[in-house]
Amino acid sequence: MKIYAISDLHMSTTSDKPMDIFGFTWHNYLEKIHADWEEKVTDEDVVLIGGDISWAMDLKDAITDINTLVGLKGKKVMVRGNHDYWWKSISRIRASLPETFYALQNDSVKFGNRIICGSRAWCTEGSPDFKEQDRKIYLREVERLRLALGSAQKAQEEGDEIYCLIHYPPFNAKRENSLFTELFESFGVKKVIYGHLHGKDSRTDLKIEKNGITYYLTSCDQTDNKLILIDG
């Protein structure tokens, strides 16, 4: 089993939201992702999708977007991004998802000796877009992440490793510690996968090591529209 990751697909099959208005990197990007996916992934593998999945405003249209991934191999694990406005009732989402798709919301799923937990997270203190009104949401998201990690820890057996899938970067541009990174360290997380960052001005280190944890940035425009190998 191999584990891959990608995020920020921003699909819009039922609405006119072309991403190529943001630059040439987005030209035919979904076709490139599909081609790379088909080349790499087998039925035994897992693909983590770190939020901003669909531009849809309701679940029905989001499922239409998600269904474009049905023909691709592997088990697909998703978390909510800040643009996933359709992501409301987790029970309705899970009931609507195609087979081999998993939606995480403050909980976890286990494949072999790898446990994937997930939550949306939020911008952190010291980030340019962090305002005082963000503090309440930030603290709430910390508690939601704690629930996800607690779920993973409860499922953990000897030899298992915990990976965490979130949408927002868990630290600011200076890579300073945050309440998120402190949680990862206290729960013994091995790898963290995130997205959200786009464009030339984003922090473009796709992989960094910090306090014994490997962090992967997987926004598709930063990865050249290719899946990133996380494990295997």
Side-chain angles (χ1 to χ4, degrees), residues 39-51:
E39 181 180 335
K40 292 176 176 175
V41 181
T42 72
D43 285 331
E44 289 72 40
D45 298 333
V46 177
V47 179
L48 311 179
I49 304 174

Side-chain angles (χ1 to χ4, degrees), residues 171 175-178 180-186 188-192 208-215:
F171 32 56
R175 311 292 200 274
E176 293 175 324
N177 291 340
S178 70
F180 295 131
T181 63
E182 290 175 6
L183 276 179
F184 297 144
E185 292 166 24
S186 66
V189 173
K190 294 297 183 183
K191 299 182 180 184
V192 175
I208 70 168
E209 304 283 341
K210 178 178 170 63
N211 297 339
I213 300 174
T214 308
Y215 292 86

Side-chain angles (χ1 to χ4, degrees), residues 200-211:
K200 297 178 181 178
D201 297 330
S202 296
R203 306 189 296 279
T204 54
D205 293 329
L206 298 183
K207 179 180 177 181
I208 70 168
E209 304 283 341
K210 178 178 170 63
N211 297 339

Side-chain angles (χ1 to χ4, degrees), residues 152-181:
Q153 189 177 66
K154 185 176 181 180
Q156 189 175 27
E157 299 176 316
E158 186 175 355
D160 292 345
E161 292 187 357
I162 298 175
Y163 297 172
C164 194
L165 176 65
I166 58 178
H167 178 64
Y168 282 87
F171 32 56
N172 59 32
K174 296 179 181 179
R175 311 292 200 274
E176 293 175 324
N177 291 340
S178 70
L179 296 178
F180 295 131
T181 63

